[in-house]
Structures are given as structure tokens and as C-alpha cells.
Amino acid sequence: MEDFSKLFSQVQAAQGKVQKIQQEIQQRLANITVKAESGAGAVQATASGNGYLRSIDISPEFINAQEKETMQDLVVAAANLAIKRAKEREQEEMQHSAEGMLSGLPFNFGG
């Protein structure tokens, strides 16, 4: 029974470590900036690493009534690309943190 209690304590400690790492990752992602553009630079989108759109910059030559539909399409394309890049960065951060965390666990999942 003592071994189970020890294992349970180790699992709880690992859970606490995981939560702390997840918080740290979210903080790092909030400070990461990713940019994307569409229409050969006519529309640029900037997002945080955790996927929040920070800004849209539209080239002045696209701001007129005749180009409204084109501009809307370009904004959507740039925003989606920025969000995709943010998700990629999030995966990189998670993988990097998971590698460090798993190496410190007291038991081996891999066999």
C-alpha cells in the first residue's frame, strides 16, 4: 500500500508540473507574434501565438467601394494564414515542453 501512496504522490506532482508548464506555454504564446499576408502584401494580418488576431493592415489602393469583395476575401485569407501559423507555433511550444517534462517522470511509458 505504501508503494501505491508513493506512486499517487508522484502522479499528483506530475499533474501539478503539467499545469504549471501549460500556463507557461500560454504565457509564451501570448508574447509570440506571427504575421501573414495575402494579395502580394495588399493585406497583412498579425496574430498572437495563441491565435488571437491583433491587427489587420490593408494597403490604401484596396480601400474603395469597387474592391470591397476582393478586400474582404484577402482579409479572410491573411487572417486564416496568421491563425494557422499561430497554431503551428503552439504545437512547437507544446512539443518542446512535453519533451522536457516527460524526461523527468519517474516511470517509463514507452516500454
Side-chain angles (χ1 to χ4, degrees):
M1 191 65 139
E2 185 177 314
D3 288 338
F4 179 74
S5 178
K6 185 177 178 182
L7 179 62
F8 185 71
S9 294
Q10 289 175 334
V11 168
Q12 283 184 317
Q15 286 176 331
K17 197 175 191 182
V18 167
Q19 288 177 338
K20 182 179 178 190
I21 289 171
Q22 286 175 329
Q23 290 172 344
E24 291 170 358
I25 289 170
Q26 289 304 313
Q27 289 173 346
R28 284 197 312 259
L29 289 171
N31 292 319
I32 290 173
T33 298
V34 294
K35 295 183 179 189
E37 63 181 47
S38 64
V43 176
Q44 297 177 348
T46 303
S48 66
N50 52 10
Y52 289 99
L53 190 60
R54 289 187 176 154
S55 67
I56 296 287
D57 184 28
I58 302 170
S59 181
E61 63 261 18
F62 279 94
I63 301 177
N64 67 51
Q66 291 90 9
E67 299 293 333
K68 181 180 178 190
E69 190 173 321
T70 299
M71 183 173 53
Q72 289 171 331
D73 291 342
L74 293 174
V75 168
V76 168
N80 284 332
L81 186 54
I83 291 167
K84 177 181 181 248
R85 288 182 181 169
K87 288 179 182 182
E88 290 169 355
R89 288 292 299 270
E90 180 178 21
Q91 288 299 316
E92 290 170 10
E93 291 290 327
M94 294 292 257
Q95 182 177 357
H96 176 73
S97 294
E99 288 170 356
M101 183 184 63
L102 291 176
S103 66
L105 290 177
F107 36 86
N108 185 356
F109 290 107

